[in-house]
Short mmCIF file of all heavy atoms in Angstrom, two decimals:
data_model
loop_
_atom_site.label_atom_id
_atom_site.label_comp_id
_atom_site.label_asym_id
_atom_site.label_seq_id
_atom_site.Cartn_x
_atom_site.Cartn_y
_atom_site.Cartn_z
N MET A 133 28.35 -9.77 -7.68
CA MET A 133 28.58 -9.20 -6.40
C MET A 133 27.33 -9.35 -5.54
O MET A 133 27.36 -9.81 -4.44
CB MET A 133 29.00 -7.69 -6.48
CG MET A 133 29.20 -7.03 -5.17
SD MET A 133 30.70 -7.57 -4.29
CE MET A 133 31.94 -6.70 -5.23
N GLY A 134 26.13 -9.09 -6.09
CA GLY A 134 24.88 -9.05 -5.36
C GLY A 134 24.71 -9.93 -4.16
O GLY A 134 24.64 -9.41 -3.05
N ASP A 135 24.67 -11.21 -4.36
CA ASP A 135 24.41 -12.13 -3.20
C ASP A 135 25.50 -12.14 -2.23
O ASP A 135 25.20 -12.19 -0.99
CB ASP A 135 24.17 -13.56 -3.72
CG ASP A 135 22.86 -13.67 -4.50
OD1 ASP A 135 21.99 -12.75 -4.37
OD2 ASP A 135 22.65 -14.70 -5.20
N ASP A 136 26.71 -12.03 -2.62
CA ASP A 136 27.84 -12.05 -1.70
C ASP A 136 27.81 -10.74 -0.81
O ASP A 136 28.04 -10.81 0.40
CB ASP A 136 29.18 -12.09 -2.45
CG ASP A 136 29.44 -13.45 -3.02
OD1 ASP A 136 28.78 -14.39 -2.58
OD2 ASP A 136 30.32 -13.55 -3.86
N ALA A 137 27.51 -9.66 -1.53
CA ALA A 137 27.48 -8.33 -0.75
C ALA A 137 26.36 -8.46 0.24
O ALA A 137 26.49 -7.95 1.40
CB ALA A 137 27.25 -7.17 -1.68
N LEU A 138 25.22 -9.01 -0.14
CA LEU A 138 24.07 -9.12 0.85
C LEU A 138 24.40 -9.99 1.96
O LEU A 138 24.03 -9.72 3.08
CB LEU A 138 22.86 -9.59 0.07
CG LEU A 138 21.56 -9.37 0.78
CD1 LEU A 138 21.30 -7.86 0.98
CD2 LEU A 138 20.35 -9.91 -0.13
N PHE A 139 25.19 -11.03 1.76
CA PHE A 139 25.54 -11.97 2.78
C PHE A 139 26.50 -11.19 3.83
O PHE A 139 26.31 -11.32 5.04
CB PHE A 139 26.33 -13.15 2.17
CG PHE A 139 26.73 -14.14 3.27
CD1 PHE A 139 25.81 -14.96 3.88
CD2 PHE A 139 28.09 -14.26 3.69
CE1 PHE A 139 26.18 -15.93 4.85
CE2 PHE A 139 28.40 -15.19 4.58
CZ PHE A 139 27.51 -16.00 5.20
N VAL A 140 27.51 -10.44 3.28
CA VAL A 140 28.33 -9.72 4.24
C VAL A 140 27.49 -8.70 5.01
O VAL A 140 27.61 -8.60 6.23
CB VAL A 140 29.39 -8.89 3.37
CG1 VAL A 140 30.03 -7.82 4.23
CG2 VAL A 140 30.39 -9.84 2.74
N HIS A 141 26.47 -8.08 4.31
CA HIS A 141 25.62 -7.10 4.92
C HIS A 141 24.88 -7.71 6.11
O HIS A 141 24.90 -7.19 7.22
CB HIS A 141 24.65 -6.58 3.80
CG HIS A 141 23.61 -5.60 4.32
ND1 HIS A 141 23.56 -4.30 3.84
CD2 HIS A 141 22.54 -5.71 5.16
CE1 HIS A 141 22.53 -3.75 4.45
NE2 HIS A 141 21.88 -4.56 5.23
N GLU A 142 24.22 -8.83 5.86
CA GLU A 142 23.41 -9.46 6.88
C GLU A 142 24.28 -10.00 8.08
O GLU A 142 23.88 -9.98 9.18
CB GLU A 142 22.56 -10.58 6.25
CG GLU A 142 21.50 -10.12 5.17
CD GLU A 142 20.64 -9.05 5.72
OE1 GLU A 142 20.38 -8.95 6.93
OE2 GLU A 142 20.11 -8.31 4.82
N MET A 143 25.43 -10.62 7.70
CA MET A 143 26.31 -11.04 8.72
C MET A 143 26.77 -9.92 9.69
O MET A 143 26.80 -10.09 10.90
CB MET A 143 27.61 -11.67 8.15
CG MET A 143 27.37 -13.07 7.53
SD MET A 143 26.75 -14.27 8.73
CE MET A 143 28.20 -14.46 9.74
N GLY A 144 27.02 -8.71 9.10
CA GLY A 144 27.44 -7.59 9.88
C GLY A 144 26.26 -7.18 10.91
O GLY A 144 26.58 -6.75 12.01
N HIS A 145 25.08 -7.30 10.48
CA HIS A 145 23.94 -6.96 11.35
C HIS A 145 23.98 -7.84 12.61
O HIS A 145 23.63 -7.41 13.69
CB HIS A 145 22.57 -7.16 10.67
CG HIS A 145 22.09 -6.03 9.80
ND1 HIS A 145 22.19 -4.74 10.21
CD2 HIS A 145 21.65 -6.00 8.54
CE1 HIS A 145 21.71 -3.96 9.28
NE2 HIS A 145 21.41 -4.65 8.24
N LEU A 146 24.39 -9.09 12.47
CA LEU A 146 24.45 -9.98 13.70
C LEU A 146 25.38 -9.40 14.66
O LEU A 146 25.33 -9.74 15.88
CB LEU A 146 24.82 -11.37 13.23
CG LEU A 146 23.85 -12.12 12.35
CD1 LEU A 146 24.42 -13.49 11.92
CD2 LEU A 146 22.50 -12.29 13.03
N PHE A 147 26.36 -8.62 14.20
CA PHE A 147 27.38 -8.01 15.12
C PHE A 147 27.15 -6.52 15.35
O PHE A 147 28.10 -5.85 15.78
CB PHE A 147 28.76 -8.31 14.54
CG PHE A 147 29.14 -9.79 14.55
CD1 PHE A 147 28.84 -10.51 13.41
CD2 PHE A 147 29.65 -10.43 15.64
CE1 PHE A 147 29.06 -11.87 13.37
CE2 PHE A 147 29.94 -11.76 15.68
CZ PHE A 147 29.62 -12.56 14.53
N GLY A 148 25.95 -6.05 15.05
CA GLY A 148 25.60 -4.72 15.41
C GLY A 148 25.67 -3.63 14.37
O GLY A 148 25.45 -2.44 14.66
N ALA A 149 25.95 -3.97 13.13
CA ALA A 149 26.01 -2.99 12.03
C ALA A 149 24.66 -2.45 11.82
O ALA A 149 23.61 -3.14 11.98
CB ALA A 149 26.49 -3.61 10.77
N VAL A 150 24.58 -1.17 11.45
CA VAL A 150 23.24 -0.53 11.23
C VAL A 150 23.19 -0.01 9.81
O VAL A 150 24.14 0.26 9.10
CB VAL A 150 23.09 0.71 12.20
CG1 VAL A 150 23.06 0.31 13.62
CG2 VAL A 150 24.13 1.75 11.93
N ASP A 151 21.90 0.07 9.35
CA ASP A 151 21.67 0.49 7.96
C ASP A 151 21.58 2.02 7.85
O ASP A 151 21.30 2.74 8.85
CB ASP A 151 20.22 0.00 7.48
CG ASP A 151 20.33 -1.52 7.22
OD1 ASP A 151 21.35 -1.98 6.77
OD2 ASP A 151 19.26 -2.18 7.43
N TYR A 152 21.87 2.50 6.57
CA TYR A 152 21.76 3.94 6.30
C TYR A 152 20.68 4.12 5.18
O TYR A 152 21.01 4.11 4.01
CB TYR A 152 23.06 4.51 5.83
CG TYR A 152 24.26 4.24 6.77
CD1 TYR A 152 25.46 3.85 6.30
CD2 TYR A 152 24.08 4.53 8.12
CE1 TYR A 152 26.52 3.64 7.14
CE2 TYR A 152 25.09 4.29 9.03
CZ TYR A 152 26.36 3.82 8.48
OH TYR A 152 27.39 3.59 9.32
N PRO A 153 19.41 4.27 5.58
CA PRO A 153 18.35 4.47 4.58
C PRO A 153 18.36 5.82 3.98
O PRO A 153 19.15 6.71 4.47
CB PRO A 153 17.09 4.22 5.39
CG PRO A 153 17.44 4.55 6.80
CD PRO A 153 18.92 4.29 6.92
N PRO A 154 17.59 6.12 2.93
CA PRO A 154 17.48 7.43 2.38
C PRO A 154 17.17 8.45 3.49
O PRO A 154 16.37 8.23 4.31
CB PRO A 154 16.35 7.31 1.36
CG PRO A 154 16.28 5.84 1.00
CD PRO A 154 16.73 5.12 2.23
N GLY A 155 17.88 9.54 3.37
CA GLY A 155 17.67 10.61 4.43
C GLY A 155 18.74 10.57 5.47
O GLY A 155 19.02 11.51 6.17
N ASN A 156 19.38 9.34 5.65
CA ASN A 156 20.49 9.28 6.60
C ASN A 156 21.68 10.03 6.11
O ASN A 156 21.97 9.95 4.83
CB ASN A 156 20.77 7.83 6.84
CG ASN A 156 21.82 7.61 7.89
OD1 ASN A 156 23.01 7.95 7.79
ND2 ASN A 156 21.39 7.07 9.01
N PRO A 157 22.45 10.71 6.86
CA PRO A 157 23.58 11.57 6.47
C PRO A 157 24.67 10.67 5.70
O PRO A 157 25.42 11.12 4.92
CB PRO A 157 24.23 12.08 7.73
CG PRO A 157 23.07 12.12 8.70
CD PRO A 157 22.16 10.98 8.30
N LEU A 158 24.66 9.34 6.02
CA LEU A 158 25.67 8.43 5.45
C LEU A 158 25.16 7.68 4.23
O LEU A 158 25.76 6.77 3.76
CB LEU A 158 26.19 7.46 6.55
CG LEU A 158 26.83 8.17 7.70
CD1 LEU A 158 27.33 7.16 8.74
CD2 LEU A 158 28.08 8.98 7.24
N TYR A 159 23.95 8.05 3.79
CA TYR A 159 23.28 7.30 2.64
C TYR A 159 24.19 7.28 1.39
O TYR A 159 24.19 6.28 0.72
CB TYR A 159 21.95 7.97 2.33
CG TYR A 159 21.24 7.39 1.18
CD1 TYR A 159 20.74 6.08 1.28
CD2 TYR A 159 21.04 8.10 -0.05
CE1 TYR A 159 20.00 5.54 0.19
CE2 TYR A 159 20.34 7.50 -1.08
CZ TYR A 159 19.83 6.27 -0.95
OH TYR A 159 19.13 5.74 -2.02
N ASP A 160 24.92 8.34 1.19
CA ASP A 160 25.77 8.48 -0.11
C ASP A 160 27.17 7.79 0.05
O ASP A 160 27.95 7.89 -0.87
CB ASP A 160 25.93 9.92 -0.52
CG ASP A 160 24.57 10.43 -1.07
OD1 ASP A 160 23.89 9.71 -1.84
OD2 ASP A 160 24.31 11.64 -0.81
N LEU A 161 27.42 7.29 1.27
CA LEU A 161 28.67 6.61 1.47
C LEU A 161 28.76 5.26 0.71
O LEU A 161 27.83 4.53 0.66
CB LEU A 161 28.81 6.36 3.02
CG LEU A 161 30.17 6.33 3.59
CD1 LEU A 161 30.96 7.64 3.33
CD2 LEU A 161 30.09 6.04 5.04
N ASP A 162 29.97 4.92 0.19
CA ASP A 162 30.16 3.67 -0.53
C ASP A 162 30.30 2.58 0.48
O ASP A 162 31.39 2.18 0.85
CB ASP A 162 31.36 3.80 -1.39
CG ASP A 162 31.62 2.51 -2.24
OD1 ASP A 162 30.67 1.67 -2.33
OD2 ASP A 162 32.71 2.35 -2.77
N THR A 163 29.20 2.01 0.96
CA THR A 163 29.16 1.00 2.00
C THR A 163 28.02 0.10 1.73
O THR A 163 26.96 0.56 1.32
CB THR A 163 29.15 1.60 3.41
OG1 THR A 163 28.83 0.48 4.34
CG2 THR A 163 28.07 2.63 3.56
N THR A 164 28.14 -1.13 2.03
CA THR A 164 27.06 -2.10 1.87
C THR A 164 25.86 -1.70 2.76
O THR A 164 24.75 -2.18 2.61
CB THR A 164 27.43 -3.50 2.12
OG1 THR A 164 26.34 -4.43 1.79
CG2 THR A 164 27.86 -3.82 3.56
N TYR A 165 26.02 -0.87 3.82
CA TYR A 165 25.04 -0.44 4.72
C TYR A 165 24.14 0.70 4.26
O TYR A 165 23.17 1.08 4.90
CB TYR A 165 25.52 -0.33 6.17
CG TYR A 165 25.90 -1.67 6.64
CD1 TYR A 165 27.22 -2.07 6.73
CD2 TYR A 165 24.97 -2.61 6.97
CE1 TYR A 165 27.59 -3.38 7.08
CE2 TYR A 165 25.22 -3.93 7.35
CZ TYR A 165 26.63 -4.27 7.39
OH TYR A 165 26.97 -5.59 7.73
N SER A 166 24.65 1.36 3.14
CA SER A 166 23.78 2.35 2.52
C SER A 166 22.79 1.63 1.62
O SER A 166 23.16 0.75 0.88
CB SER A 166 24.63 3.29 1.65
OG SER A 166 23.75 3.93 0.74
N TYR A 167 21.48 1.95 1.75
CA TYR A 167 20.49 1.35 0.83
C TYR A 167 20.81 1.61 -0.68
O TYR A 167 20.37 0.90 -1.52
CB TYR A 167 19.12 1.78 1.21
CG TYR A 167 18.53 1.05 2.47
CD1 TYR A 167 19.28 0.25 3.22
CD2 TYR A 167 17.26 1.36 2.82
CE1 TYR A 167 18.85 -0.33 4.31
CE2 TYR A 167 16.71 0.78 3.92
CZ TYR A 167 17.54 -0.10 4.75
OH TYR A 167 16.98 -0.68 5.86
N LYS A 168 21.60 2.66 -0.89
CA LYS A 168 21.98 2.98 -2.24
C LYS A 168 22.91 1.95 -2.82
O LYS A 168 22.93 1.69 -4.05
CB LYS A 168 22.54 4.43 -2.26
CG LYS A 168 22.81 5.01 -3.52
CD LYS A 168 23.33 6.49 -3.30
CE LYS A 168 23.62 7.16 -4.57
NZ LYS A 168 24.07 8.58 -4.27
N TYR A 169 23.79 1.44 -2.04
CA TYR A 169 24.84 0.50 -2.50
C TYR A 169 24.72 -0.85 -1.92
O TYR A 169 25.70 -1.67 -2.11
CB TYR A 169 26.24 1.13 -2.17
CG TYR A 169 26.50 2.45 -2.84
CD1 TYR A 169 26.56 3.65 -2.08
CD2 TYR A 169 26.67 2.56 -4.20
CE1 TYR A 169 26.81 4.82 -2.64
CE2 TYR A 169 26.92 3.78 -4.81
CZ TYR A 169 26.98 4.91 -4.03
OH TYR A 169 27.22 6.14 -4.56
N ASP A 170 23.72 -1.19 -1.15
CA ASP A 170 23.70 -2.43 -0.38
C ASP A 170 24.15 -3.75 -1.16
O ASP A 170 24.87 -4.51 -0.64
CB ASP A 170 22.43 -2.66 0.38
CG ASP A 170 21.17 -2.56 -0.52
OD1 ASP A 170 21.35 -2.37 -1.70
OD2 ASP A 170 20.09 -2.65 0.05
N THR A 171 23.62 -3.84 -2.41
CA THR A 171 23.98 -5.04 -3.16
C THR A 171 25.04 -4.78 -4.21
O THR A 171 25.38 -5.61 -4.99
CB THR A 171 22.76 -5.70 -3.86
OG1 THR A 171 22.22 -4.73 -4.69
CG2 THR A 171 21.75 -6.12 -2.83
N ARG A 172 25.61 -3.55 -4.20
CA ARG A 172 26.60 -3.21 -5.20
C ARG A 172 28.07 -3.17 -4.69
O ARG A 172 28.97 -3.03 -5.50
CB ARG A 172 26.28 -1.78 -5.80
CG ARG A 172 25.04 -1.77 -6.69
CD ARG A 172 24.97 -0.58 -7.45
NE ARG A 172 23.96 0.34 -6.89
CZ ARG A 172 23.86 1.59 -7.26
NH1 ARG A 172 24.69 2.16 -8.06
NH2 ARG A 172 22.92 2.34 -6.67
N THR A 173 28.18 -3.24 -3.41
CA THR A 173 29.58 -3.27 -2.84
C THR A 173 29.61 -4.12 -1.61
O THR A 173 28.55 -4.31 -0.96
CB THR A 173 30.04 -1.83 -2.53
OG1 THR A 173 31.37 -1.87 -1.95
CG2 THR A 173 29.13 -1.25 -1.46
N ASP A 174 30.73 -4.64 -1.26
CA ASP A 174 30.88 -5.36 -0.03
C ASP A 174 31.78 -4.56 0.92
O ASP A 174 32.22 -4.99 1.95
CB ASP A 174 31.46 -6.76 -0.16
CG ASP A 174 32.76 -6.86 -0.86
OD1 ASP A 174 33.33 -5.78 -1.21
OD2 ASP A 174 33.23 -7.96 -1.09
N ALA A 175 31.93 -3.23 0.62
CA ALA A 175 32.75 -2.35 1.41
C ALA A 175 31.92 -2.06 2.71
O ALA A 175 30.71 -1.93 2.69
CB ALA A 175 33.01 -1.01 0.67
N ILE A 176 32.66 -1.98 3.82
CA ILE A 176 32.02 -1.61 5.15
C ILE A 176 32.65 -0.36 5.59
O ILE A 176 33.85 -0.20 5.68
CB ILE A 176 32.23 -2.80 6.16
CG1 ILE A 176 31.65 -4.06 5.60
CG2 ILE A 176 31.71 -2.44 7.48
CD1 ILE A 176 31.92 -5.28 6.47
N ASP A 177 31.77 0.62 5.90
CA ASP A 177 32.25 1.91 6.38
C ASP A 177 32.91 1.88 7.76
O ASP A 177 32.61 0.87 8.50
CB ASP A 177 31.06 2.88 6.41
CG ASP A 177 29.93 2.36 7.30
OD1 ASP A 177 29.23 1.46 6.79
OD2 ASP A 177 29.76 2.88 8.42
N PRO A 178 33.79 2.77 8.08
CA PRO A 178 34.49 2.76 9.39
C PRO A 178 33.58 2.65 10.62
O PRO A 178 33.95 1.91 11.51
CB PRO A 178 35.29 4.04 9.38
CG PRO A 178 35.45 4.44 7.92
CD PRO A 178 34.16 3.94 7.26
N ALA A 179 32.45 3.30 10.57
CA ALA A 179 31.62 3.31 11.83
C ALA A 179 31.04 1.88 12.02
O ALA A 179 31.01 1.38 13.11
CB ALA A 179 30.49 4.30 11.72
N ASN A 180 30.56 1.26 10.89
CA ASN A 180 30.01 -0.08 11.12
C ASN A 180 31.11 -1.07 11.37
O ASN A 180 30.91 -2.02 12.08
CB ASN A 180 29.20 -0.49 9.86
CG ASN A 180 27.75 -0.06 9.99
OD1 ASN A 180 27.23 -0.05 11.11
ND2 ASN A 180 27.10 0.30 8.89
N ARG A 181 32.33 -0.85 10.74
CA ARG A 181 33.41 -1.75 11.05
C ARG A 181 33.75 -1.74 12.52
O ARG A 181 33.96 -2.82 13.14
CB ARG A 181 34.64 -1.44 10.18
CG ARG A 181 35.87 -2.24 10.44
CD ARG A 181 37.01 -1.92 9.43
NE ARG A 181 36.60 -2.19 8.11
CZ ARG A 181 36.49 -3.36 7.46
NH1 ARG A 181 36.91 -4.42 8.15
NH2 ARG A 181 36.20 -3.53 6.22
N ALA A 182 33.73 -0.56 13.09
CA ALA A 182 34.03 -0.47 14.50
C ALA A 182 32.94 -1.20 15.41
O ALA A 182 33.30 -1.83 16.33
CB ALA A 182 34.06 1.03 14.95
N ARG A 183 31.61 -1.02 14.93
CA ARG A 183 30.55 -1.75 15.67
C ARG A 183 30.82 -3.28 15.59
O ARG A 183 30.64 -3.95 16.63
CB ARG A 183 29.23 -1.38 15.06
CG ARG A 183 28.78 -0.01 15.30
CD ARG A 183 27.35 0.24 14.74
NE ARG A 183 27.01 1.66 14.87
CZ ARG A 183 27.13 2.57 13.86
NH1 ARG A 183 27.45 2.16 12.64
NH2 ARG A 183 26.87 3.82 14.04
N ILE A 184 31.13 -3.79 14.42
CA ILE A 184 31.29 -5.16 14.21
C ILE A 184 32.47 -5.67 15.08
O ILE A 184 32.39 -6.75 15.69
CB ILE A 184 31.48 -5.51 12.71
CG1 ILE A 184 30.14 -5.23 11.96
CG2 ILE A 184 32.01 -6.91 12.53
CD1 ILE A 184 30.36 -5.19 10.42
N MET A 185 33.62 -4.91 15.00
CA MET A 185 34.82 -5.45 15.77
C MET A 185 34.54 -5.39 17.22
O MET A 185 35.02 -6.23 17.96
CB MET A 185 35.94 -4.52 15.40
CG MET A 185 36.44 -4.60 13.92
SD MET A 185 36.61 -6.38 13.40
CE MET A 185 38.24 -6.71 14.03
N LYS A 186 33.73 -4.41 17.69
CA LYS A 186 33.40 -4.37 19.14
C LYS A 186 32.65 -5.60 19.57
O LYS A 186 32.75 -6.08 20.75
CB LYS A 186 32.59 -3.08 19.40
CG LYS A 186 32.53 -2.71 20.94
CD LYS A 186 31.75 -1.37 21.08
CE LYS A 186 30.31 -1.69 20.94
NZ LYS A 186 29.48 -0.50 21.33
N ASN A 187 31.81 -6.13 18.75
CA ASN A 187 30.96 -7.26 19.08
C ASN A 187 31.45 -8.61 18.54
O ASN A 187 30.72 -9.58 18.58
CB ASN A 187 29.55 -7.03 18.51
CG ASN A 187 28.87 -5.85 19.19
OD1 ASN A 187 28.94 -5.72 20.43
ND2 ASN A 187 28.21 -5.01 18.39
N LYS A 188 32.65 -8.66 18.03
CA LYS A 188 33.01 -9.87 17.30
C LYS A 188 33.11 -11.10 18.13
O LYS A 188 33.10 -12.18 17.65
CB LYS A 188 34.35 -9.68 16.50
CG LYS A 188 35.57 -9.54 17.35
CD LYS A 188 36.80 -9.38 16.41
CE LYS A 188 38.07 -9.30 17.20
NZ LYS A 188 39.20 -9.20 16.29
N TYR A 189 33.28 -10.97 19.42
CA TYR A 189 33.29 -12.11 20.32
C TYR A 189 32.00 -12.38 21.06
O TYR A 189 31.93 -13.18 21.92
CB TYR A 189 34.43 -12.03 21.32
CG TYR A 189 35.78 -12.04 20.64
CD1 TYR A 189 36.63 -10.93 20.73
CD2 TYR A 189 36.20 -13.12 19.87
CE1 TYR A 189 37.91 -11.01 20.09
CE2 TYR A 189 37.42 -13.11 19.21
CZ TYR A 189 38.28 -12.11 19.35
OH TYR A 189 39.49 -12.07 18.74
N ARG A 190 30.99 -11.52 20.71
CA ARG A 190 29.69 -11.69 21.30
C ARG A 190 29.13 -13.13 21.02
O ARG A 190 29.18 -13.56 19.93
CB ARG A 190 28.71 -10.65 20.74
CG ARG A 190 27.39 -10.59 21.36
CD ARG A 190 26.51 -9.54 20.82
NE ARG A 190 25.90 -10.04 19.54
CZ ARG A 190 24.94 -9.41 18.88
NH1 ARG A 190 24.50 -8.25 19.38
NH2 ARG A 190 24.46 -9.86 17.76
N LEU A 191 28.52 -13.72 22.04
CA LEU A 191 27.92 -15.01 21.78
C LEU A 191 26.52 -14.77 21.06
O LEU A 191 25.74 -13.98 21.51
CB LEU A 191 27.60 -15.71 23.13
CG LEU A 191 28.83 -16.20 23.89
CD1 LEU A 191 28.47 -16.79 25.23
CD2 LEU A 191 29.59 -17.18 23.00
N LEU A 192 26.36 -15.48 19.96
CA LEU A 192 25.19 -15.21 19.12
C LEU A 192 24.00 -16.12 19.54
O LEU A 192 22.85 -15.65 19.62
CB LEU A 192 25.49 -15.58 17.73
CG LEU A 192 26.49 -14.57 17.04
CD1 LEU A 192 26.74 -15.11 15.67
CD2 LEU A 192 25.99 -13.17 17.00
N TRP A 193 24.26 -17.36 19.91
CA TRP A 193 23.09 -18.24 20.19
C TRP A 193 23.29 -18.98 21.49
O TRP A 193 24.42 -19.29 21.83
CB TRP A 193 22.92 -19.25 19.02
CG TRP A 193 22.54 -18.52 17.77
CD1 TRP A 193 21.34 -18.05 17.47
CD2 TRP A 193 23.42 -18.30 16.69
NE1 TRP A 193 21.42 -17.48 16.19
CE2 TRP A 193 22.61 -17.60 15.76
CE3 TRP A 193 24.74 -18.54 16.38
CZ2 TRP A 193 23.17 -17.14 14.51
CZ3 TRP A 193 25.26 -18.15 15.19
CH2 TRP A 193 24.51 -17.46 14.31
ZN1 ZN B 496 20.51 -4.10 6.59
#
């Protein structure tokens, strides 16, 4: 899972996804954006999914 999960994680950042570091209320959520699970799952939490979908047609370059 590791590298694939990290790829999903980084791609999501390009579309506005944010990280949940230790101390963040969502840190314990099973999502690739929690630093606790970042390389252990490719699940994306609803808040970040909404951010990504909102920006999915954004021009990147
Ligand atoms: Zn990140």
Side-chain angles (χ1 to χ4, degrees):
M133 183 66 79
D135 288 347
D136 289 344
L138 199 57
F139 182 73
V140 167
H141 178 116
E142 298 304 338
M143 286 300 291
H145 276 314
L146 296 177
F147 295 91
V150 298
D151 287 328
Y152 306 136
N156 186 290
L158 300 180
Y159 178 69
D160 288 321
L161 209 59
D162 181 17
T163 169
T164 187
Y165 291 103
S166 162
Y167 283 5
K168 189 173 179 179
Y169 298 110
D170 54 0
T171 59
R172 288 193 256 165
T173 180
D174 58 4
I176 299 174
D177 56 285
N180 271 326
R181 181 172 298 279
R183 290 183 186 102
I184 291 166
M185 295 311 280
K186 194 176 79 175
N187 294 316
K188 70 178 181 178
Y189 296 118
R190 186 179 80 168
L191 292 177
L192 294 177
W193 295 283

